[in-house]
Structures are given as C-alpha cells and as structure tokens.
Amino acid sequence: MQHFYASSDIGGTFTDTTVLDGDGVLTRYKSSTVPSDPVKGVLATFELAAEARQMGLGDFLGKTRLFSHGTTIATNSVLTRNGARVGAIHTQGFGDTLFIMKAYKSTGLDEAARKNFRKLTKPTPFLDRTMVREVPERVDYKGDAILALDEVAARLAVKSLIAAGAEAIAVSLLWSFKFPKHEQRIKEIILEEAPDMFVTLSSDILPRLGEYARSQTAVLNAFLGPKVKKAMTSLDTSMRGSGLPREPLLMRSNGGVMAAGKAADEAVGILLSGPVGGVVGAQLVGQMVGSGNVISTDMGGTSFDVGLIVDGRPLIQRETFMERQPLAVPSVTVDTIGAGGGSIAFVENGRLRVGPESAGAVPGPVCYGAGGTDPTVTDADVVLGVVNPDNFLGGRMKLKADLARKAIEEKIAKPLGISVEEAASGIKRIVDSHMADLVRQATVHRGYDPRDFVLVAFGGAGPTHAYSYGADLGVKCVIVPRTASVLSAHGILISDLVVTRETSQSLISPPGSDKFSTFIKAGDINSIFEQLQSDAMGELEAQGILIESVRFERYVDMRFRPQIFDLSVDLSTFPLADPDVDALVEHFIESYEARFGSGSSFRTAGIDMSAFRLVAVSKLNRVEQSGEVAEADSSMTPTGSRRLYEAGTWYDAAIYDERAVKAGGEISGPAIVELDDTTMVIGPAQKASVDRFLNIIIKTN
C-alpha cells in the first residue's frame, strides 16, 4: 500500500512542505502563508502534493502516516504580546519577583539600541502588577515545609484573580522544585473555582533553582498556553477533517517533536519551533559532506536565523532570549535578526537602511503586485537580475519587475541621487552585511572561528545571498542543498520524539579537595538520572505514539564554588562508578578552559554540580530517506544566460535550471542556478561543484 510521511514549516511569508514516500523519495512544495488561517497554507501545499500524484487531497492525507510541523504562533504571540491575561500566585513577600527581575536595563538590546539612553529600560513582564497575589507558605532549601500552605488565603487569591479577569494562572512558590505539594494543592483549588482555567506550575515547567527564572518561565507559559491550545486544536480538527488519520506532531525548540495536543502544557518549549527545524536539516547536510562543524543560515521572507552544529551536534543553550527577557528553557541555539527577502529598504536622514521591518506575506514585496509600495530586498534582487520574474516559485508566481524598479527609483535612488541599479546593489550589500555580522556574533562571540566551519545556506532567499555573506566570513565553503528552500521542513520531517527533564540538586566538593569522588558520590548522581529517566519515559508513553527505541543524553551543570554561572557538560558514561565522577570533573575543567582560556580554571575552589538534565530521544517509525545518490555526470550545459549586476558591473551570467544540475559537475561564476523554489547565485571569480547528493558547493577562497 502506498503511504507518505510529511512535514510543514509555516513561515512568515511562505509555508513549506516536504513529503517522503514509501520508497524513500523526497519531494517538496511551497505556498503562500495565510496569516489569518495558517492551516490553509499547509493544506495548499498538500493539495500540490496530491495533485502531483494524481490523487485527491483526502486520499493523500488518508495515506499519510506521520505529519509534523513547525509553527511561529508562540514566537509571534510573544513579539506582539498577544496572549492570555495572566494572574500569578507567589509565596508571601515575593510578589515583586518579576518586577525587580534579574536583568540589566540593556538586557536583550542590540549594540545600536544600547547607545540610546531612551531605550535603556528594564523589560516589561508578561503580566500586570495588579494581577499578582501572595499566599502564606514556606519551604526551606532542604525541601521541608516549615510553614503550611494557608488554603483559605490561597482560595481568596484565586477568586480575586478570577474576578480580575485572569484567563490563565501561573503558580510559582519558593523552593517548589524541592517540595511541589503546595503548588499542586493551589492548582486543585484553582480548578475547583474555575474548571476551565489554564494553569501552569513552576515545579512542572521548570523544576530548577532560581525563583526569577522559574517564575518568568511559568508566567510566559501561562501567557502562551490558551492561544497555543486553541491553535493546535484548530490544526488537529482541520487536518483530520481533511483526511489525516492521526494527531499531528509539533516541532519543539529542543530539536525534537511532540504530539500537538500536548503543546499547550509546555508552550514555552515551541518558541523556536520553525528555526530549529532548519538547524536539524543543516546537521543532515553536514553529515552528507562529512563535516561536523556547520553554520546553519536560514534567510526567509522575514528573518535570518543562524544556528551552529559543533562536532556533529547542535549547540544547546540553557536560556532563550525573547522580547528582551531570558527564559530558562533549554533549546537549540538560534540567533535571529529581521533580514529577509521582504525586509523593507528606506532612506533615513540621507542614509540607506534595510529592515528589520518586513512586508511579510501580505502585501509582500512590491514586485508581487499585491499592493505593496515599500521596496524590499526581493525587489532589489529582481532589479539586479538575480531573480527571474517569470520563473519565481517554478513559474507559478509571476513578478512585476517594472513595479520593483519604480519603487526603488522613487523611494531610494532619487532621494540619494544615484541610479536604480546602484540603489538596488546598496540594498543587497547592506542586508548581506547584516547577515554576516550576525554569523560573526553567533560564532566569534562564542569562541568559534567561522573559518573552521562549512556554511549551509537555505530558506527562500538564503541561496540567493550566501555567495556574498559566506565569502565575507571566510568559511571553508558554502553549501546549497537541493532542498534549500524547504530545509526547515525537511529537518522537521527527520526529527524524532524528544523529551527533556531536569532537576536542581547541589552536590559539592569542599575547597582544596583533589579527589572529587570522595565527596560527590556516583550513587547520588545515578539516582538523580534514574528518576529523570523514569519521568521522561512516562512522558514519552503519554504522547500516544508507538515507542520502539529510546536513546538518552545526560548533562550536568557545574561551576567552581565561588562562581554564580554554570557550564553544562555531557555525561558519556552511565551508570557512574567513583572514577567516573573524577573523570566528569576533569571533563568540566577541560571544557571550561577551552571556553575561557588556558589556566582560567580554579579547581582548588571546589566543585558544585547544581543541575542535572536528561534528554530522551525516541526514534519515530518511518521509512528512511533513500538519499537519491545521483550518478556522476560532469556534462552540465547552461539553459540560457541573463544580465547580472554585481559590484557596479553588469555581467553575462550563465543560467542553469534544476534539471541541468548533475553530480560531478562544475560551475564557474558568474552563474545562476534556478531551482524550482529558489535561486542560487555563484559570484564572479567563484567556482562551484556538485556532489553526489546534488548539493552545490561554492569554494569561497
């Protein structure tokens, strides 16, 4: 019986879908995102997939065994502050935790904003001060209840929040991660008073030391939860109503998927849903070319996202910054700026600027002819001859080059007193510089040299601009995979079920100790991870998906005792014996000096193991991609040529369409490769080759 596995990435401008059939052959589809109803964009791509197979939509969906997707709903809700009205309950005396906060006035601001004193204000929490209530209770650091919960006061607090219009309630009490019973009882009281209320407990969402981070994360989860729940219910209803036989899966920030119906319980865990899929896809491309160090660069219509794969594994961050606020949610590291094909160009005080504002999907760039009036990066690409207006999205969408040219002339060229081509070239150079700067920030600022990495360029506009920003960085090479335009969706397709569980415990060695295992017992560490493993397995089984095998990754957050910041190190051996504890500490010291410099460690201060995290990865039951390894054929013939404006000069660039690209082939620049869903540029004096997977590789030096 014919069957399929599918995934979609709902972006700000386009919705991308990849489909893997029973023979392991991958196909890809693209449609405009419908902001008012994102499911419509998904179904539009499924209709294209069904049509390509001469099937009806219902028949195609009925044969789809797994459907996973990435979404920006949580991210957009945070950025626009469009979420639930949240009430919060804290331990008496700690109601100002979120307002005193743990943040500098410059936290979350870029370098330019930090120089503007008007913007040096503390971030605004996701709830009003009037929506905070305090209840008498107290637990000590050992987890002993030294003051019982005042249930009468708790019930009055709940009733007061309901009367004030709370749509969701977050409960965050001191030391609740050690003793969660008080929070659990308050949840029972809330549901007794308001059975449909959305409730988040800090001991559930983040059982970790640090009341500010825990409270912040719990409040944001409550802020997002009702909207995410509504969206996932709508997605499930629409997809099943159209023929999908089972619940959709949702990409999470930790690099795995989960059942969409459980997303609201951990809504903060999907903040980077779509971008993380791209990092996973870039990791696959790195495996294809034999490189464990990969810079993932995704340039779409609205944003530019950068991720890092180091030694074959995506870089994980313990905190995620969103809307200037640190959220204690482990996630694949992704840095983002507003730089995409839809980024708007404008003149301000006699200077050309680009972004971060975007024309989005509606009205989109001027060349779309959908009512846009502000020139964008895509309009510049059309004027420069980079993008073929008659072959956008494989010819399914015709662009209006005359409108793009007119908009750039009137709003950029004339005010600056330059030609239209110079204005368009300036737009391109500025956005390319913005992207190169972000890659430097993501690498150099973390202690990595871009020259040690390969760069994977994807997204609808990434292959169009990577020859420029990649060369500026000096990376080993720029790789454009055949699936470049939909690589985030491809990454989501190959992602497995992932559950992360963590806890705070303090295992310490005293100052001056050499044999750390004398004070930090292997059995204690083993017991902690055994409990985390049990919790993770329970969560995996609750997903309702058949579990065939599970792989566990274990991490310990450690620091030298006088310090306040931790460094996370992986635990390669489990269960541990005493010598393994000493080896773990040595691994921490080596990692510390690799990060901060030789001789920077302080082993005589003693060690504090402060937090323990387990990642459970369950492989989903699906067919493996065939790889579609192409036979070598170095005969590549251009299908035409086009005038290309680059750095003040017009060139005759050779044009290759997707079917002209052959394994083993070589391309000399300037050249343009028109894939069915994106355009790739090879600059003057650059050379590219095609590997056996049909990845196009540009040598930048």
Side-chain angles (χ1 to χ4, degrees):
M1 175 183 171
Q2 192 178 24
H3 58 272
F4 309 101
Y5 307 87
S7 64
S8 296
D9 175 34
I10 306 172
T13 306
F14 289 104
T15 294
D16 306 329
T17 291
T18 56
V19 176
L20 189 66
D21 67 19
D23 296 324
V25 177
L26 185 78
T27 49
R28 59 192 196 273
Y29 307 92
K30 205 173 188 75
S31 180
S32 294
T33 294
V34 182
S36 60
D37 188 359
V39 180
K40 287 184 178 179
V42 175
L43 290 175
T45 60
F46 274 78
E47 287 172 351
L48 292 173
E51 181 181 331
R53 293 164 175 79
Q54 298 182 332
M55 300 170 64
L57 176 62
D59 189 21
F60 175 79
L61 284 171
K63 294 178 180 179
T64 300
R65 292 187 175 178
L66 282 176
F67 167 58
S68 48
H69 82 294
T71 179
T72 58
I73 183 171
T75 306
N76 292 341
S77 293
V78 170
L79 296 178
T80 61
R81 290 186 172 261
N82 181 18
R85 181 169 172 78
V86 180
I89 297 177
H90 295 284
T91 301
Q92 190 173 60
F94 290 84
D96 285 322
T97 296
L98 289 176
F99 303 90
I100 296 174
M101 64 181 58
K102 184 182 178 182
Y104 299 104
K105 290 182 178 181
S106 61
T107 296
L109 293 175
D110 60 26
E111 186 174 350
R114 290 175 184 175
K115 298 175 183 177
N116 186 340
F117 74 91
R118 294 183 180 86
K119 294 185 178 181
L120 292 179
T121 59
K122 282 190 175 184
T124 304
F126 286 88
L127 81 170
D128 297 330
R129 182 63 185 85
T130 58
M131 295 298 290
V132 176
R133 301 293 183 271
E134 301 177 2
V135 296
E137 69 87 41
R138 200 61 186 263
V139 173
D140 68 12
Y141 74 99
K142 296 179 181 179
D144 296 327
I146 56 177
L147 176 64
L149 173 68
D150 186 333
E151 294 194 13
V152 174
R155 192 173 296 274
L156 288 173
V158 170
K159 288 182 177 180
S160 174
L161 288 174
I162 294 171
E167 298 168 324
I169 296 177
V171 185
S172 182
L173 307 178
L174 284 179
W175 298 99
S176 60
F177 63 96
K178 287 277 192 178
F179 185 86
K181 291 183 179 179
H182 286 175
E183 284 194 353
Q184 291 166 356
R185 178 54 187 146
I186 292 176
K187 181 176 181 178
E188 292 174 355
I189 293 172
I190 293 171
L191 296 180
E192 288 169 8
E193 297 294 333
D196 296 327
M197 182 67 70
F198 186 90
V199 183
T200 295
L201 303 184
S202 74
S203 54
D204 287 341
I205 200 70
L206 190 71
R208 184 196 297 176
L209 180 68
E211 64 267 24
Y212 170 64
R214 191 158 24 86
S215 298
Q216 173 80 303
T217 306
V219 165
L220 183 60
N221 196 75
F223 178 82
L224 296 172
K227 190 167 186 176
V228 170
K229 184 176 182 179
K230 182 180 178 180
M232 292 304 104
T233 300
S234 173
L235 173 75
D236 188 29
T237 301
S238 297
M239 295 303 293
R240 294 212 205 195
S242 298
L244 188 71
R246 54 186 52 81
E247 182 180 12
L249 302 177
L250 180 64
M251 188 71 186
R252 305 183 68 192
S253 302
N254 62 10
V257 294
M258 69 185 302
K262 294 187 66 64
D265 295 337
E266 297 182 38
V268 290
I270 65 168
L271 281 169
L272 299 177
S273 176
V276 166
V279 179
V280 175
Q283 181 184 15
L284 174 65
V285 176
Q287 293 169 358
M288 288 179 176
V289 302
S291 177
N293 290 346
V294 180
I295 300 172
S296 159
T297 62
D298 177 5
M299 183 183 182
T302 306
S303 63
F304 178 68
D305 303 321
V306 176
L308 290 183
I309 295 96
V310 179
D311 296 330
R313 299 168 71 175
L315 206 62
I316 301 293
Q317 58 189 5
R318 288 187 63 208
E319 285 188 331
T320 302
F321 270 87
M322 189 70 65
E323 188 62 2
R324 295 189 60 204
Q325 306 198 46
L327 306 170
V329 181
S331 66
V332 173
T333 303
V334 177
D335 296 295
T336 302
I337 58 172
S343 293
I344 295 172
F346 58 98
V347 175
E348 182 181 67
N349 298 325
R351 299 176 64 185
L352 176 59
R353 299 187 181 277
V354 182
E357 293 80 10
S358 172
V362 179
V366 178
C367 60
Y368 283 12
T373 58
D374 294 318
T376 67
V377 172
T378 296
D379 294 311
D381 288 338
V382 169
V383 168
L384 295 172
V386 173
V387 171
N388 183 354
D390 296 323
N391 194 36
F392 196 67
L393 293 183
R396 289 189 291 111
M397 185 174 179
K398 304 296 183 181
L399 303 182
K400 295 177 172 54
D402 58 331
L403 295 182
R405 186 176 184 87
K406 182 179 179 182
I408 292 177
E409 180 179 21
E410 292 182 352
K411 296 200 173 185
I412 307 297
K414 286 183 177 179
L416 294 177
I418 57 179
S419 71
V420 175
E421 289 78 14
E422 289 172 329
S425 183
I427 292 170
K428 179 181 174 300
R429 286 201 309 273
I430 289 172
V431 76
D432 288 349
S433 296
H434 287 338
M435 293 186 289
D437 286 345
L438 182 65
V439 174
R440 291 190 187 95
Q441 177 181 319
T443 52
V444 176
H445 289 195
R446 292 189 173 100
Y448 300 107
D449 188 339
R451 294 172 295 184
D452 296 331
F453 289 73
V454 301
L455 185 147
V456 176
F458 58 99
T464 309
H465 290 257
Y467 80 97
S468 175
Y469 66 76
D472 191 26
L473 293 164
V475 294
K476 290 181 177 180
C477 62
V478 172
I479 305 169
V480 176
R482 175 63 68 94
T483 56
S485 182
V486 296
L487 193 66
S488 290
H490 189 190
I492 293 169
L493 179 68
I494 63 176
S495 296
D496 292 314
L497 214 62
V498 175
V499 167
T500 301
R501 287 292 177 266
E502 66 176 291
T503 187
S504 285
Q505 302 261 355
S506 188
L507 303 182
I508 62 176
S509 66
S513 55
D514 284 330
K515 192 172 179 59
F516 301 100
S517 58
T518 302
F519 306 96
I520 301 175
K521 299 301 182 183
D524 293 338
I525 298 176
N526 292 338
S527 295
I528 291 170
F529 278 113
E530 285 166 1
Q531 182 59 54
L532 292 175
Q533 183 169 317
S534 176
D535 293 344
M537 286 302 298
E539 178 60 29
L540 284 173
E541 292 166 357
Q543 301 280 330
I545 300 169
L546 180 64
I547 296 176
E548 295 187 339
S549 62
V550 181
R551 170 173 55 86
F552 297 103
E553 299 172 4
R554 300 172 179 86
Y555 301 89
V556 181
D557 291 347
M558 305 172 65
R559 62 174 178 251
F560 296 108
R561 289 189 62 186
Q563 297 181 331
I564 59 175
F565 295 109
D566 300 318
L567 187 66
S568 185
V569 295
D570 62 300
L571 189 66
S572 57
T573 302
F574 188 82
L576 285 78
D578 285 345
D580 299 320
V581 175
D582 294 315
L584 175 62
V585 175
E586 293 301 326
H587 177 34
F588 160 69
I589 292 172
E590 291 173 5
S591 300
Y592 189 94
E593 295 203 352
R595 177 74 180 274
F596 300 107
S598 178
S600 59
S601 61
F602 190 19
R603 66 168 61 230
T604 57
I607 296 293
D608 186 351
M609 297 185 183
S610 57
F612 303 81
R613 185 169 65 258
L614 179 134
V615 180
V617 182
S618 174
K619 190 171 182 60
L620 291 173
N621 181 19
R622 61 172 166 250
V623 70
E624 293 294 329
Q625 188 177 341
S626 66
E628 300 179 86
V629 179
E631 295 183 5
D633 183 356
S634 59
S635 59
M636 285 181 53
T637 304
T639 52
S641 65
R642 185 163 69 243
R643 297 276 285 168
L644 174 69
Y645 189 87
E646 172 68 26
T649 303
W650 282 103
Y651 295 89
D652 287 320
I655 306 296
Y656 298 83
D657 70 17
E658 183 167 323
R659 279 142 292 282
V661 176
K662 307 290 185 181
E666 294 187 352
I667 307 173
S668 295
I672 296 173
V673 181
E674 294 184 342
L675 302 175
D676 287 345
D677 42 18
T678 188
T679 299
M680 176 187 176
V681 178
I682 298 147
Q686 291 182 339
K687 291 186 179 295
S689 59
V690 185
D691 71 5
R692 63 194 186 102
F693 298 105
L694 299 180
N695 298 312
I696 303 175
I697 303 171
I698 303 175
K699 289 293 184 183
T700 59
N701 48 41

